[in-house]
């Protein structure tokens, strides 16, 4: 394979991986997935597993698996969380592990201010099984068999009332570390890009809380930007109708994609599905419903408030 062709493929895969790092999940998994301060805001312990697949008709299309957990401490003034993500985009594979500490302050009768700080480990490499080079001994491909790793930090703040509302702001990749992976070949700069995230949710109770309508939104963008553009912002707006703790139905819209939400509760378990419909230019070159996402969540009574309720 010619060097220029391989370099182009690597750059394209790197671009896909960067977009995936800013990916917005279709399912309603709470604030923690976008904000370190969102860990343990539900006053319960929870573990969530999520699998995401996009543009399945394309070869080596993006697929992501995430395992996430969070819990308040017994007194509910502090909490902790973890997140593990395996992200394959094109020929690139990225692994991320995050550990989070949360401190919460009572600011009103039912509202709290939450601060979250995360330590993050990243590892990036190439999946050789997905490549088909003409020359397997190409020096660039040989160098690419190595993996690069680096550490970083995230910080977030949010104000919330459990199961009623939240609003949060977060900054990711504060250190902006760089690895030495493929630097000798000078293919691209392996540095964590800083980006910011804003999240919000509000729930309307109907018929004494038997029915709920939940409105939520998230927006993310990389920093700095040479010129502000709405196209540089990843966003998602969702609405869910929740019947007691039995099931939910909803819909939403993100960048060039409409989505359908559905899920059911089984006591302390919840299973959810999100499907996406392309509305932009990609709808002409891919299948009708290119995005699929499923998740499973289990809850635990880990704080005094949850055991009391």
């Amino acid at each position: 394979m010619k060097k220029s062709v391989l370099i182009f493929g690597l750059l394209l895969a790197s671009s896909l991986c960067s977009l995936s790092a800013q990916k917005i999940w279709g399912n309603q998994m709470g604030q923690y997935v976008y904000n370190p301060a969102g860990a343990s805001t539900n006053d319960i312990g929870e573990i969530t597993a999520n699998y995401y697949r996009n543009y399945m008709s394309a070869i080596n299309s993006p697929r992501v698996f995430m395992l996430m957990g969070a819990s308040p401490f017994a007194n509910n003034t502090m909490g902790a969380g973890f997140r593990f993500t395996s992200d394959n985009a094109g020929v690139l594979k990225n692994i991320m592990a995050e550990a989070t500490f949360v401190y919460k302050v009572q600011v009103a009768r039912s509202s709290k201010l939450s601060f979250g700080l995360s330590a993050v480990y990243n590892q990036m490499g190439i999946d050789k099984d997905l490549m088909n080079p003409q020359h397997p001994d190409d020096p660039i491909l040989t160098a690419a068999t190595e993996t690069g790793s680096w550490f970083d930090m995230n910080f977030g703040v949010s104000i919330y009332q459990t199961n009623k509302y939240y609003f949060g702001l977060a900054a990711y990749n504060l250190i902006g570390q760089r690895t030495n992976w493929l630097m000798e070949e000078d293919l691209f700069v392996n540095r964590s890009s800083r980006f910011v995230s804003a999240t919000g949710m509000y729930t309307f109770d109907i018929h004494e809380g038997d029915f709920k309508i939940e409105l939520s939104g998230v927006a993310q963008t990389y920093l700095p930007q040479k010129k502000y553009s709405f196209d540089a912002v990843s966003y998602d707006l969702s609405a869910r109708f929740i019947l007691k703790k039995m099931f939910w139905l909803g819909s939403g819209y993100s960048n060039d994609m409409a989505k359908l939400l559905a899920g059911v509760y089984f006591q302390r378990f919840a299973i959810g599905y999100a499907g996406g419909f392309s509305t932009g230019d990609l709808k002409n070159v891919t299948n009708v419903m290119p995005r699929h996402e499923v998740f499973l969540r289990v809850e635990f009574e880990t704080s005094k408030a949850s055991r009391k309720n």
Side-chain angles (χ1 to χ4, degrees):
M1 178 179 291
K2 293 183 179 180
K3 181 176 180 179
S4 59
V5 175
L6 180 55
I7 291 176
F8 174 77
L10 291 173
L11 289 173
L12 177 60
S14 176
S15 174
L16 289 172
C17 191
S18 297
L19 290 174
S20 182
Q22 197 184 1
K23 192 185 81 63
I24 292 181
W25 298 87
N27 278 300
Q28 303 300 301
M29 295 182 291
Q31 189 182 189
Y32 179 37
V33 71
Y34 305 115
N35 189 332
S40 79
T41 56
N42 289 331
D43 292 341
I44 58 174
E46 55 186 355
I47 295 178
T48 301
N50 192 298
Y51 180 76
Y52 166 95
R53 190 72 185 267
N54 206 5
Y55 305 114
M56 298 177 65
S57 59
I59 299 175
N60 298 337
S61 60
R63 59 191 187 279
V64 187
F65 171 78
M66 182 180 68
L67 180 66
M68 178 178 68
S71 174
F73 295 164
N75 59 8
N76 208 21
T77 60
M78 293 182 288
F82 74 88
R83 188 155 59 107
F84 172 83
T85 303
S86 175
D87 186 344
N88 292 65
V91 297
L92 279 187
K93 55 183 179 181
N94 184 36
I95 294 175
M96 186 275 291
E98 175 183 8
T100 303
F101 173 76
V102 177
Y103 183 75
K104 297 179 279 187
V105 179
Q106 197 84 31
V107 294
R109 182 177 181 181
S110 302
S111 298
K112 292 183 179 180
L113 189 63
S114 178
F115 302 90
L117 182 65
S118 298
V120 184
Y121 170 80
N122 292 280
Q123 184 183 86
M124 180 178 287
I126 287 180
D127 190 343
K128 292 187 63 176
D129 294 336
L130 300 180
M131 303 189 70
N132 186 26
Q134 295 181 8
H135 302 288
D137 296 327
D138 188 299
I140 296 180
L141 186 60
T142 302
T145 59
E146 303 293 332
T147 59
S149 60
W150 66 98
F151 291 90
D152 224 307
M153 297 185 70
N154 306 329
F155 176 78
V157 59
S158 68
I159 185 170
Y160 73 96
Q161 178 180 333
T162 302
N163 297 326
K164 185 64 178 180
Y165 76 89
Y166 62 72
F167 177 76
L169 296 172
Y172 284 75
N173 303 328
L174 295 176
I175 301 178
Q177 287 289 325
R178 181 178 179 178
T179 76
N180 59 359
W181 186 59
L182 294 181
M183 284 184 59
E184 294 181 0
E185 304 298 335
D186 197 27
L187 294 181
F188 50 84
V189 176
N190 298 300
R191 185 186 299 276
S192 300
S193 298
R194 295 184 179 93
F195 69 95
V196 295
S197 175
T199 53
M201 182 275 287
Y202 192 86
T203 300
F204 297 91
D205 293 331
I206 303 174
H207 199 266
E208 298 182 349
D210 288 342
F211 309 95
K212 297 178 181 291
I213 296 178
E214 178 191 272
L215 304 178
S216 61
V218 56
Q220 296 176 327
T221 186
Y222 283 103
L223 295 175
Q225 295 180 12
K226 295 181 179 179
K227 182 179 179 181
Y228 176 79
S229 171
F230 187 72
D231 293 335
V233 177
S234 294
Y235 63 91
D236 181 280
L237 300 174
S238 298
R240 288 196 303 165
F241 171 78
I242 305 171
L243 176 61
K244 295 184 177 180
K245 203 170 182 181
M246 298 173 58
F247 69 88
W248 71 84
L249 293 173
S251 63
Y253 187 81
S254 57
N255 300 72
D256 294 330
M257 187 169 290
K259 65 178 183 177
L260 173 68
L261 304 172
V264 293
Y265 295 100
F266 299 99
Q267 296 181 349
R268 296 192 178 277
F269 291 86
I271 299 174
Y273 168 81
F277 304 84
S278 294
T279 59
D281 295 337
L282 285 175
K283 69 180 181 180
N284 298 320
V285 295
T286 187
N287 53 35
V288 177
M289 198 172 181
R291 175 173 173 173
H292 300 277
E293 184 181 329
V294 293
F295 89 99
L296 172 66
R297 182 176 66 229
V298 58
E299 301 174 351
F300 305 93
E301 296 178 349
T302 54
S303 68
K304 292 181 180 179
S306 63
R307 289 193 292 266
K308 180 179 179 180
N309 292 332

